[in-house]
């Protein structure tokens, strides 16, 4: 009788597991647009682009891949490697690239052409790396939302990678890392300079930056832009004058001068992330994915045939048109997409949208929940003493709440020659963006972002699991929709506001949109639980940049993502009414 009962229970359990596995197998990955797709694409791949390359967050790369990327950039700086005519006076291929950007400032910034021009620029840069320096790994991007709450502490500033802050006593020249000795040629001769401690937007005259008031755009802030921007030019405007400018100003030094900024090797990783945001918006709004509108810097309406002039950067190659840059998987010429980035903190099973207290987790596989008790206790340990209001931008003591993005500085406004109308619209949008963060912090006092310092400082980064993108989208949609409902559906100011001295400022301002999925839920590294939460990397890391095949190359553990960073679109939900053994609130539940 006992045997029969056990057999019956085992059979029932097996049946339950099979049902669960079948249900999970039927769930396909959801792209950042929320569409069901095998790879994250803007439109269907073509015969010219059957296997798009996948651009990855720098910290997704193995240690050897990171070094190979650094070496490839150094390769561009070989004396005599320039391919421009002698009259250009460019000593290296790296300087060719810098020159191309410095000669297009008044055309490729502050206008509709900003995003397609930089997409073409990145494509040419990648082509040069691969054809002239033998680079075969993924082109990296810097997901600065991961570091948004303390950008000055990003692991990318390591001496092993891009070097750190400048030395104030030496003209803020960078003294660490492989690029420390670099001297620019275009637009003028200078060392590679950074000002994390000041971040004034003009190379050092004293507004506010990374270490003072230089917090960046969090994952939630980027999602807010992508979801609520109701047209191409509005999205372009908000990205260019929001997170794009924010990073240039925060890094400061060389990056703060638009004509000099390409001299800092972090420029390309920054703009790859800006390009990723455009692709996110295209994926979330498929009906607008192939749109391109607004005005050029001259005031002429943008057209699909607009030429993206590269000042001879690619000898023998015709300049691309704006239309050619709209589809990243057309194969004519683009053939790439982006990874789902990285995140830190709680590990959870993709088949559920509940994070619960560890001692209430069900014991059956019918409701699988993989929650780190250590992460719950970590948050609970600081929750009771953390004020719910939005902390000052320069504060680093509040480990749970998000900070508002730093505003555009007067020095940067002057450099860009922005009109009074444009500046007024920028200030209006900054107030709305900060209002959204305040809503997240105060209207949802139980909410803890994956970019919160409590996780960033204590959890290892992991590649995000694409299976949980749908889960993540639901949470962020609630945050954005709640804010838009509370504020009459307006996610932005009057809209476009492009231009410099001529500064137009029109737009619809309705703030409607669908949803986006940029950076989702992670697989966290939890002490004592490493076996369950390793980054899923397989194969040989010497691949040609295609998806999923950048493994550990035989180097023990080098594929693991590093500490001191946190990530993208993911978060705890609300704190329930249960308590830890110490009496602090503990359960975290997604509605």
């Amino acid at each position: 009788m006992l045997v029969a009962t056990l057999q019956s229970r085992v059979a029932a359990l097996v049946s339950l597991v099979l049902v669960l596995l079948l249900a999970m197998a039927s769930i396909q990955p959801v792209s950042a647009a929320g569409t069901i797709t095998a790879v994250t694409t803007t439109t269907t791949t073509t015969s010219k682009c059957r296997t798009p390359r996948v651009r990855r967050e720098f910290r997704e790369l193995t240690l050897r891949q990171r070094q190979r990327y650094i070496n490839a950039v150094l390769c561009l700086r070989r004396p005599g490697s320039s391919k421009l005519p002698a009259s250009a006076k460019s000593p290296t291929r790296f300087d060719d690239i810098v020159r191309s950007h410095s000669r297009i400032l008044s055309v490729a910034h502050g206008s509709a052409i900003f995003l397609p021009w930089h997409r073409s620029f990145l494509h040419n840069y990648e082509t040069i790396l691969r054809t002239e320096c033998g680079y075969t790994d993924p082109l990296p991007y810097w997901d600065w939302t991961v570091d948004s709450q303390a950008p000055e502490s990003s692991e990318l500033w390591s001496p092993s990678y891009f070097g750190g802050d400048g030395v104030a006593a030496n003209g803020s020249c960078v003294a660490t890392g492989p690029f420390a000795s670099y001297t620019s040629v275009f637009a003028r001769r200078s060392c590679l300079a950074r000002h994390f401690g000041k971040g004034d937007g003009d190379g050092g005259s004293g507004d506010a930056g990374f270490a003072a008031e230089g917090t960046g755009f969090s994952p939630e802030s980027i999602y807010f832009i992508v979801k609520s921007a109701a047209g191409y030019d509005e999205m372009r405007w908000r990205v260019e004058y929001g997170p794009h400018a924010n990073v240039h100003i925060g890094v400061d030094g060389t990056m703060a001068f638009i004509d000099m900024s390409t001299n800092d090797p972090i420029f390309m990783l920054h703009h790859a992330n800006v390009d990723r945001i455009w692709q996110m918006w295209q994926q979330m709004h498929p009906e607008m994915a192939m749109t391109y509108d607004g005005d050029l810097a001259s005031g002429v309406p943008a057209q699909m045939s607009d030429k993206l002039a590269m000042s001879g950067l690619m000898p023998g190659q015709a300049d691309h048109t704006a239309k050619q840059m709209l589809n990243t998987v057309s194969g004519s010429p683009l053939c790439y997409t982006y990874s789902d980035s990285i995140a830190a903190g709680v590990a959870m099973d993709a088949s559920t949208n509940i994070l619960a207290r560890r001692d209430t987790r069900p014991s059956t596989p019918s409701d699988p929940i993989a929650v780190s008790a250590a992460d719950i206790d970590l948050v609970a340990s600081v929750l009771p003493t953390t004020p719910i209001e939005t902390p000052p931008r320069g504060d680093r003591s509040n480990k749970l709440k998000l900070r508002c993005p730093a505003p555009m500085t007067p020095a940067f406004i002057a450099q860009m020659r922005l009109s009074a109308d444009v500046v007024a619209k920028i200030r209006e949008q900054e107030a709305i963006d900060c209002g959204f963060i305040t809503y997240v912090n105060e209207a949802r006092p139980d909410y803890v972002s994956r970019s919160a310092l409590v996780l960033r400082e204590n959890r290892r980064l992991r590649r995000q699991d694409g299976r949980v993108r749908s889960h993540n989208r639901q949470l962020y949609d609630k945050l954005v929709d709640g804010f838009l409902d509370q504020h009459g559906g307006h996610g932005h100011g009057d809209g476009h506001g492009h231009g410099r001295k001529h500064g137009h400022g029109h737009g619809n301002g309705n703030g409607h949109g669908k949803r986006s999925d940029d950076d989702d839920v992670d697989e966290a590294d939890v002490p004592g639980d490493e076996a369950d939460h390793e980054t899923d990397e397989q194969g040989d890391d010497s691949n040609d940049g295609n998806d999923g095949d950048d493994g550990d190359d035989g180097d023990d553990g080098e594929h693991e993502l590093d500490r001191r960073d946190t990530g993208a679109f993911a978060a705890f939900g609300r704190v329930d009414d249960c308590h830890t053994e110490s009496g602090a609130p503990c359960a975290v539940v997604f509605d």
Side-chain angles (χ1 to χ4, degrees), residues 507-525:
N508 48 37
N510 59 20
H512 300 315
K514 297 181 171 52
R515 51 146 190 73
S516 158
D517 248 46
D518 177 16
D519 309 62
D520 317 315
V521 178
D522 67 284
E523 295 179 340
D525 177 55

Side-chain angles (χ1 to χ4, degrees), residues 363-420:
S363 58
T364 68
S366 59
D367 188 14
I369 300 175
V371 177
S372 160
D375 281 356
I376 290 177
D377 286 341
L378 177 64
V379 172
S381 68
V382 297
L383 186 61
T385 59
T386 301
I388 66 170
E389 62 266 16
T390 300
R393 296 182 183 92
D395 170 76
R396 297 296 183 262
S397 63
N398 189 317
K399 305 297 184 182
L400 292 182
K401 296 302 176 182
L402 296 173
R403 293 147 188 81
C404 290
M408 185 179 290
T409 61
F412 197 81
I413 288 170
Q415 179 192 168
M416 297 298 291
R417 300 180 182 179
L418 300 177
S419 71

Side-chain angles (χ1 to χ4, degrees), residues 304-322:
M304 290 291 185
S305 59
D306 288 340
K307 291 288 186 180
L308 310 177
M310 292 290 147
S311 300
L313 177 62
M314 306 298 287
Q317 174 184 295
D319 290 330
H320 299 131
T321 65

